[in-house]
């Protein structure tokens, strides 16, 4: 699984718990902490299956543009990757920054798992409520393992 670095601290341990192999894909200050699709591409191998995208981002605060997400979508389609799109900060943007849902990009509905959380959106941290939007064939095994 391609994991952004810097990224939310739980990503790498969760991949390990699921017997996956996290592969760090650095995001650089010089690119305003946004992923560069060509650079991400250089970390993809024949074994790559999943990619985490997190915008708005914790910890960097980067909000990926439409073009950033379009490039990552194109990459995911070309390399047949499932994308876990962590959008828990979707309602917390400032100034001109605009959030785009990755599943709204062409042909991404079938390969994006969009994650949201009541903790952030409604300041309901103690309730531990999250939601996931994804295709039925992906959500069915998730239900079985919970
Ligand atoms: C990027 C990101 N994703 C997911 C979570 C998890 O949110 P929660 O466990 O509060 O639902 C957090 C919490 O800090 C986060 O920063």
């Amino acid at each position: 699984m391609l994991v952004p670095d810097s990224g939310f601290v739980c990503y790498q341990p969760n991949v390990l718990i699921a017997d996956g192999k996290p592969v760090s894909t650095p995001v650089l200050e010089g690119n305003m902490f946004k992923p560069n699709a060509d650079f991400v591409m250089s970390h993809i191998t024949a074994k790559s299956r999943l990619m985490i995208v997190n915008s708005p981002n914790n910890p960097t605060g980067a909000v990926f543009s439409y073009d950033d997400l379009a490039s990552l979508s194109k990459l995911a389609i070309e390399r047949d990757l499932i994308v876990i799109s962590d959008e828990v900060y979707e309602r917390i943007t400032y100034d001109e920054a605009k959030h785009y849902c990755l599943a709204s990009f062409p042909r991404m509905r079938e390969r994006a798992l969009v994650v949201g959380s009541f903790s952030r959106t409604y300041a309901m941290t103690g309730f531990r409520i999250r939601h996931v939007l994804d295709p039925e064939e992906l959500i069915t095994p998730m239900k079985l393992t919970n």
Side-chain angles (χ1 to χ4, degrees):
M1 179 177 311
L2 301 165
V3 181
D5 177 16
S6 300
F8 178 44
V9 68
C10 291
Y11 293 152
Q12 298 242 5
N14 275 306
V15 177
L16 293 170
I17 287 168
D19 285 334
K21 181 181 172 194
V23 174
S24 279
T25 53
V27 282
L28 306 176
E29 186 180 3
N31 197 34
M32 297 184 63
F33 299 113
K34 296 179 185 189
N36 172 291
D38 291 335
F39 189 57
V40 175
M41 176 74 116
S42 69
H43 291 77
I44 295 178
T45 70
K47 291 185 173 173
S48 304
R49 294 286 177 271
L50 293 138
M51 169 166 66
I52 296 181
V53 173
N54 173 216
S55 176
N57 189 278
N58 177 20
T60 67
V63 183
F64 304 169
S65 68
Y66 185 93
D67 289 346
D68 294 328
L69 293 168
S71 304
L72 291 175
S73 300
K74 191 164 167 274
L75 182 65
I77 293 164
E78 278 172 12
R79 303 307 301 256
D80 195 19
L81 301 174
I82 301 289
V83 183
I84 298 178
S85 185
D86 183 343
E87 302 181 19
V88 303
Y89 294 99
E90 63 183 323
R91 304 280 177 93
I92 307 177
T93 55
Y94 300 93
D95 303 324
E96 304 298 309
K98 182 168 164 38
H99 166 261
Y100 298 94
C101 177
L102 199 74
S104 68
F105 284 75
R107 298 177 52 206
M108 287 306 288
R109 185 68 199 268
E110 66 231 46
R111 63 177 65 248
L113 287 87
V114 179
V115 181
S117 173
F118 279 35
S119 305
R120 306 294 168 239
T121 308
Y122 306 109
M124 290 168 61
T125 313
F127 288 73
R128 318 308 300 151
I129 303 172
R130 292 104 186 184
H131 48 96
V132 181
L133 166 78
D134 63 8
E136 194 174 352
E137 65 271 21
L138 294 179
I139 211 161
T140 304
M142 279 173 65
K143 280 191 214 153
L144 292 175
T145 54
N146 261 332

